[in-house]
Amino acid sequence: MRNNLFIFILFFFTYLLPAQKINPDIYGFATSNTFTYCDVSDTSFLNKVIAINPQVLRFPGGAVGNFYHFGKSGYGFDFNEIDKYHNGKFPKRSRGLESSRKKKQHHQDYIDDFITLARKTQAKAVLVANPFVEDDNDIIFMIQKLYKNNIEIIGVELGSELSNRSYFLKGYTIEDYIFFAQRCSKNIKKQFPEIKTAVVAAPLGKRKDHRHNIWNSRLSAMNFYDAIIIHSYAKVIQGKAIDGQMVSEDIEGKNKTEEFEIYKNRVIDYLDTEYDREVQEYVSIYNKPIWVTEWNLQMSKTTGNTLLQSLFVTQYLLEVYSNPSLSSIELTTYHNLGGRDFSGSIFRNNKEVLEIQSTYYPLTLLGKIFDYDIVKVEKEQSEEIFTYNCFDANNKLIISYVIDWNKNYFRYSLEESLDKEIVHIYGSENLFDMPNLKGVTSLEKD
């Protein structure tokens, strides 16, 4: 067969990396804003999420999670609380979310929608605790409700991105965080000793006396938690970013083709070398498992919903599956499942029309890995062609994923039998190309 020949030829010209047993918790998705803009009672939307085959779902989300209140309509925002603790764009965004909730006449607590989605997809849950409440009743009630609905809970994030400048400018310090995190973790484990808790690690790369380094130093000296939380947004565009979103971008290249060639090279370098170094630095500081509860390309309208983004997302997951240097990562949740944004969400609700973004079809093909008894993924590389071979317990090749950055496509090949293979190809002529509203590109094949 052609694909077998292709892999056979690659074997002689590439080096083979050692295998790593796959972990289904790597294949997770954040649901920030999803239930404001996407209807879980819509069978078309629900079936599309099921086709992705998520193994983990995150609730309520990042900044949304920091201000969620159990038992109220939507996310139960308290705007006095939000204004008191957040100095960035979230006060405005939260009011927009609340306005949309009222317009749509959503009176339910969005945890009910989350439960529907988790049960339909048979996904586990990772929850985010509100750090600004005086007690931890909300997170306890959340856990109890999910358990009552037979949803497995991997663990609880003790807040989200709380080392960020938006909280610091409101006076929030590492001392405030430690007080909350220790108390919340203790209260959770008192009732649910099986549930893991994870603390917020601060970003790397600052000067020695920067508050982020102090934050990491203080937390790393403690041992009341099970894992650390990081967020990974690959920055391929030069310019200024705030909270993962590009707010200004430098112009590079003489045209769009040259521009995206530069971005492609940065993506490959990030996945090939930079991310390894970042993860290993966190390991050296904390010596704890890592939860990457948000990851994507840096949020930008330039790269959002492009073929470049979809190839990056595909390769990121396959790298975490296969690269032993990333074995400390025990959970990831892609940001984001559904919303109104153009840059990150798989499903975009635009004026009540559900648009399918560029990452959807590649993710449906990646989700097939859990339909088979795959125990390891091995990586082969030949210049800008990356092949990820998936084997079962008998060392039989079941699935091959090929990312060809030269020809701008992602290829899925299932070895169904000795004389039959199923092949899907997703790609386009240019890395900056976008799919139609149904998520289809020129090379997408069923």
Side-chain angles (χ1 to χ4, degrees):
M1 297 183 298
R2 282 194 309 166
N3 193 51
N4 282 341
L5 179 61
F6 180 58
I7 295 169
F8 182 74
I9 293 171
L10 277 177
F11 181 80
F12 286 95
F13 292 95
T14 61
Y15 55 92
L16 189 64
L17 294 179
Q20 173 187 339
K21 186 174 182 179
I22 66 166
N23 173 5
D25 296 345
I26 299 300
Y27 196 64
F29 298 86
T31 64
S32 306
N33 311 338
T34 297
F35 307 112
T36 305
Y37 299 114
C38 300
D39 184 1
V40 295
S41 66
D42 178 355
T43 55
S44 176
F45 167 71
L46 193 58
N47 288 336
K48 287 179 174 61
V49 178
I50 291 171
I52 295 173
N53 201 13
Q55 304 296 295
V56 178
L57 293 172
R58 180 192 189 216
F59 181 82
V64 169
N66 284 342
F67 298 103
Y68 166 81
H69 289 275
F70 179 85
K72 298 183 179 181
S73 297
Y75 292 114
F77 290 141
D78 177 341
F79 294 110
N80 291 325
E81 179 184 71
I82 293 171
D83 294 341
K84 179 179 179 180
Y85 289 107
H86 202 289
N87 193 60
K89 294 182 178 181
F90 190 71
K92 180 179 179 181
R93 181 161 70 89
S94 62
R95 286 169 168 85
L97 287 167
E98 181 66 0
S99 177
S100 294
R101 179 194 71 79
K102 290 179 178 178
K103 184 178 179 181
K104 294 171 182 289
Q105 299 184 25
H106 292 173
H107 302 294
Q108 76 277 18
D109 183 336
Y110 282 145
I111 198 170
D112 295 326
D113 292 344
F114 176 79
I115 287 169
T116 297
L117 192 63
R119 293 184 69 174
K120 291 292 185 180
T121 58
Q122 300 181 13
K124 305 175 195 173
V126 58
L127 303 176
V128 182
N130 182 329
F132 303 119
V133 291
E134 293 183 1
D135 57 47
D136 304 305
N137 288 339
D138 278 1
I139 189 63
I140 299 299
F141 292 151
M142 291 165 69
I143 294 170
Q144 289 173 339
K145 183 156 188 171
L146 263 62
Y147 273 169
K148 187 177 180 179
N149 283 275
N150 298 314
I151 296 170
E152 182 179 346
I153 301 170
I154 296 174
V156 173
E157 296 179 61
L158 301 171
S160 176
E161 296 189 343
L162 291 162
S163 67
N164 281 8
R165 181 177 174 83
S166 296
Y167 300 98
F168 175 73
L169 290 176
K170 288 291 189 175
Y172 195 78
T173 68
I174 180 60
E175 302 302 330
D176 296 317
Y177 182 66
I178 289 173
F179 177 80
F180 152 71
Q182 284 184 314
R183 182 200 71 204
C184 189
S185 183
K186 181 180 179 180
N187 286 337
I188 290 170
K189 290 179 178 294
K190 185 177 181 179
Q191 295 193 47
F192 312 101
E194 74 283 1
I195 291 182
K196 294 181 179 181
T197 59
V199 296
V200 175
L204 303 172
K206 305 294 184 179
R207 65 181 186 277
K208 186 176 180 181
D209 58 347
H210 193 277
R211 60 187 171 82
H212 284 174
N213 293 329
I214 296 170
W215 183 288
N216 286 330
S217 178
R218 291 293 310 280
L219 278 179
S220 65
M222 299 179 173
N223 201 38
F224 64 88
Y225 52 90
D226 302 289
I228 66 167
I229 303 158
I230 69 172
H231 290 170
S232 301
Y233 290 97
K235 188 175 179 181
V236 298
I237 300 175
Q238 298 298 310
K240 183 180 180 181
I242 298 178
D243 296 341
Q245 175 75 48
M246 297 301 297
V247 294
S248 66
E249 299 179 5
D250 298 339
I251 298 174
E252 299 180 90
K254 297 177 182 178
N255 52 51
K256 221 169 184 180
T257 300
E258 285 191 10
E259 183 181 40
F260 272 73
E261 184 72 14
I262 293 169
Y263 300 159
K264 177 196 77 173
N265 291 333
R266 288 177 183 153
V267 162
I268 293 173
D269 184 56
Y270 176 83
L271 293 172
D272 228 14
T273 58
E274 289 183 28
Y275 198 51
D276 278 20
R277 287 197 296 264
E278 178 184 344
V279 168
Q280 290 306 311
E281 187 170 350
Y282 275 116
V283 171
S284 69
I285 295 170
Y286 284 95
N287 194 29
K288 290 277 190 179
I290 296 173
W291 296 0
V292 189
T293 56
E294 290 184 23
W295 66 269
N296 208 324
L297 277 183
Q298 197 86 20
M299 297 298 172
S300 163
K301 289 185 178 180
T302 301
T303 55
N305 196 28
T306 62
L307 180 62
L308 177 87
Q309 183 186 31
S310 63
L311 294 183
F312 165 79
V313 167
T314 303
Q315 189 164 352
Y316 175 91
L317 284 167
L318 290 168
E319 277 294 314
V320 179
Y321 290 151
S322 62
N323 188 346
S325 297
L326 303 179
S327 61
S328 58
I329 297 175
E330 68 176 23
L331 177 149
T332 83
T333 52
Y334 171 79
H335 188 80
N336 188 42
L337 185 65
R340 201 169 57 177
D341 65 291
F342 185 78
S343 303
S345 291
I346 302 166
F347 303 100
R348 177 176 184 246
N349 189 311
N350 183 25
K351 298 178 181 179
E352 304 310 312
V353 175
L354 189 68
E355 298 180 3
I356 301 173
Q357 305 273 76
S358 68
T359 52
Y360 174 70
Y361 277 107
L363 286 168
T364 64
L365 297 176
L366 281 175
K368 293 182 183 299
I369 199 171
F370 301 104
D371 294 335
Y372 303 91
D373 296 323
I374 304 298
V375 299
K376 65 178 180 179
V377 181
E378 292 182 344
K379 171 186 171 182
E380 299 172 3
Q381 180 179 346
S382 177
E383 296 182 346
E384 294 183 351
I385 302 172
F386 298 83
T387 301
Y388 298 86
N389 295 321
C390 307
F391 298 87
D392 65 12
N394 297 317
N395 208 35
K396 179 185 176 183
L397 177 64
I398 305 296
I399 299 172
S400 291
Y401 296 102
V402 178
I403 300 168
D404 190 331
W405 287 98
N406 292 313
K407 296 181 179 178
N408 301 337
Y409 73 76
F410 164 59
R411 186 174 196 255
Y412 161 88
S413 175
L414 169 66
E415 303 291 330
E416 192 169 65
S417 63
L418 289 175
D419 58 352
K420 183 179 179 182
E421 68 174 337
I422 297 174
V423 176
H424 297 267
I425 296 176
Y426 183 89
S428 191
E429 184 177 351
N430 306 294
L431 287 170
F432 53 78
D433 286 346
M434 298 181 183
N436 62 23
L437 299 186
K438 295 182 179 180
V440 177
T441 66
S442 58
L443 292 180
E444 195 276 324
K445 297 180 181 180
D446 289 319

